[in-house]
C-alpha cells in the first residue's frame, strides 16, 4: 500500500486490513497496519514507524516535526508530538 499525500480524498484513511504502508515514490517500508489507528484527521494515523530509519524528521513548528521518507526524502507530512492514542505518544 503506497502512502501518498492528500489529493481530494485519502483512500487509506479507513483502510485497516493487514499490510505494510510504503513510500509512494521509492517503495521503502514506512508503517505497519498494526501501528495504524482511527483518528479524526483526513489522513491515515500511525503511532510508530517500521524501521528506525523509515522516516527522517526536522523541526517544523512547536509540537510538530516535518517527516520525509528515510530513503528517498519524499515528503510524508508530520509527526505530531504527544497527539497519539496514548499519553506521551506521537501521531504520524
Amino acid at each position: 500500500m503506497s502512502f501518498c499525500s492528500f489529493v481530494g480524498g485519502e483512500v487509506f484513511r479507513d483502510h485497516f486490513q493487514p499490510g505494510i504502508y510504503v513510500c509512494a515514490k521509492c517503495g521503502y517500508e514506512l508503517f505497519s497496519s498494526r501501528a495504524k489507528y482511527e483518528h479524526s484527521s483526513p489522513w491515515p494515523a500511525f503511532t510508530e514507524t517500521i524501521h528506525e530509519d523509515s522516516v527522517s524528521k526536522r523541526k517544523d513548528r512547536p509540537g510538530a516535526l516535518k517527516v520525509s521518507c528515510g530513503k528517498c526524502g519524499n515528503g510524508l507530512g508530520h509527526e505530531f508530538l504527544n497527539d497519539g492514542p496514548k499519553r506521551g505518544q506521537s501521531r504520524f
Side-chain angles (χ1 to χ4, degrees):
M1 293 170 263
S2 293
F3 186 75
C4 58
S5 59
F6 182 71
V7 183
E10 174 52 59
V11 297
F12 293 115
R13 180 183 180 272
D14 298 318
H15 184 273
F16 286 94
Q17 282 145 0
I20 303 294
Y21 292 80
V22 301
C23 175
K25 186 173 181 182
C26 73
Y28 192 55
E29 295 178 332
L30 303 172
F31 306 100
S32 167
S33 59
R34 287 178 287 205
K36 191 171 188 294
Y37 68 99
E38 289 189 52
H39 190 268
S40 61
S41 75
W43 298 277
F46 303 89
T47 56
E48 62 188 5
T49 60
I50 287 185
H51 308 290
E52 195 170 308
D53 68 345
S54 287
V55 300
S56 61
K57 306 172 189 180
R58 68 177 168 78
K59 191 170 184 159
D60 187 44
R61 60 183 186 256
L65 304 173
K66 194 76 163 167
V67 178
S68 302
C69 173
K71 185 174 181 182
C72 74
N74 185 36
L76 302 173
H78 290 86
E79 175 182 1
F80 297 98
L81 307 175
N82 300 311
D83 190 40
K86 295 180 183 172
R87 185 181 194 129
Q89 203 170 37
S90 291
R91 171 177 58 93
F92 290 89

